[in-house]
Amino acid sequence: MLRIAICDDEQEMTTQVKKLTALYFRTHCIETDIVCYQLSENLLYDLEDGIFFDLLLLDIEMPGVNGMDLAETIQNKIPGAKIIFITSHLEYAITAYEFSVFRYIPKSMMEEKLPLAIEDYFKLYSLERNDYYTVKVKNYVRQIPYRDILYILKDGKYAVLYLANDETIAVRRSLNQIYDEMKKEYLYFADRGCIINLANVVGMDDTGILFQNNRSVCISKAGSSGFKNAMLEFWEGLL
């Protein structure tokens, strides 16, 4: 069962978000437990008491505890949870990348964008639990969850997988072969020698593409523009 929290100080908005969310999962035969909050303080108390959620749909501008404060607590308490901001203030998307927010949905486009974002979330949820890339090297066989892969770099005749736990795994494959063998939906050829797992990107700056725990990878200036567009489209649920 998926546990989902919705928090918005406007009751009408909370009701509408719950309706759209419940409709998606019901039509896909997925059991959910949806808890709604109009007071952000109540959600904060539950989070601090250890209440777990898989997905949280939050407003940003709320009296008392705002969405950014909640996002920081969520990252600390349940780092595996995903956040979708439903807001009239998309300018926060640039400054809040460190909270690994999964999507930003404009309230004015919620009926159109929210179902797409939820669909992408559930694909990722399934990916984290069921989808693996199998590494076979002589007598060594290992399944690597796609969600654990941050990026893949070319190193001579090898492709090197860089994982979230700081581990690296080299396989004798070209990047094109790797790309064809893996699931393509979350992978992006950011450069000739670099494949990025968009699901793990938290932002980019002048130093390169950013991941959690201060991890980063550099790409060429030529590749930066295309990657930025792909990253923003992925975050907006357009891919």
Side-chain angles (χ1 to χ4, degrees):
M1 176 187 293
L2 279 171
R3 286 186 50 79
I4 301 170
I6 298 170
C7 187
D8 194 302
D9 58 301
E10 299 178 12
Q11 183 175 0
E12 182 178 350
M13 181 61 64
T14 302
T15 301
Q16 190 176 4
V17 172
K18 181 178 181 180
K19 180 180 178 181
L20 290 171
T21 303
L23 177 62
Y24 174 85
F25 288 113
R26 186 169 61 251
T27 55
H28 289 77
C29 301
I30 300 160
E31 188 176 3
T32 60
D33 178 18
I34 302 177
V35 183
C36 294
Y37 299 85
Q38 280 186 257
L39 294 176
S40 55
E41 289 89 347
N42 290 343
L43 173 55
L44 181 63
Y45 295 151
D46 280 352
L47 291 170
E48 291 178 342
D49 283 345
I51 301 299
F52 175 85
F53 294 102
D54 297 288
L55 174 65
L56 299 99
L57 300 97
L58 311 174
D59 190 11
I60 292 180
E61 289 290 339
M62 294 183 287
V65 180
N66 64 35
M68 292 299 176
D69 295 331
L70 288 172
E72 184 174 7
T73 300
I74 291 162
Q75 186 182 50
N76 292 332
K77 296 290 186 179
I78 42 176
K82 295 294 181 289
I83 299 169
I84 295 177
F85 273 139
I86 305 170
T87 179
S88 302
H89 301 274
L90 287 179
E91 63 270 18
Y92 287 102
I94 302 301
T95 60
Y97 68 79
E98 67 266 25
F99 298 133
S100 301
V101 174
F102 183 69
R103 290 289 188 277
Y104 294 84
I105 306 295
K107 284 188 175 181
S108 61
M109 304 178 68
M110 188 181 68
E111 291 192 8
E112 174 188 352
K113 297 292 186 181
L114 183 56
L116 297 175
I118 292 173
E119 182 176 18
D120 281 351
Y121 161 76
F122 190 70
K123 289 178 181 178
L124 184 56
Y125 177 87
S126 301
L127 178 71
E128 290 176 330
R129 286 153 179 77
N130 303 313
D131 232 341
Y132 301 87
Y133 177 68
T134 301
V135 174
K136 298 179 181 179
V137 182
K138 295 183 179 179
N139 296 327
Y140 173 81
V141 179
R142 178 176 171 185
Q143 287 186 316
I144 308 298
Y146 285 120
R147 190 63 172 88
D148 288 352
I149 300 170
L150 300 182
Y151 50 90
I152 308 165
L153 300 182
K154 176 181 172 59
D155 184 7
K157 295 182 179 180
Y158 288 84
V160 181
L161 285 63
Y162 289 76
L163 307 185
N165 64 357
D166 291 330
E167 185 180 2
T168 59
I169 298 176
V171 294
R172 195 177 177 87
R173 294 278 193 282
S174 69
L175 288 190
N176 284 327
Q177 287 175 314
I178 290 286
Y179 189 83
D180 289 339
E181 291 169 355
M182 291 184 172
K183 303 294 183 182
K184 298 180 178 62
E185 186 168 0
Y186 301 100
L187 299 181
Y188 179 79
F189 248 115
D191 223 331
R192 291 181 62 186
C194 179
I195 296 174
I196 298 293
N197 186 345
L198 291 170
N200 284 322
V201 174
V202 299
M204 68 181 301
D205 61 16
D206 293 339
T207 66
I209 301 168
L210 307 176
F211 303 87
Q212 286 186 347
N213 300 324
N214 298 317
R215 304 281 296 277
S216 66
V217 63
C218 297
I219 60 173
S220 68
K221 290 184 178 180
S224 294
S225 177
F227 175 78
K228 182 178 180 180
N229 291 334
M231 178 184 70
L232 292 174
E233 287 178 352
F234 181 81
W235 283 356
E236 292 168 0
L238 299 179
L239 289 181

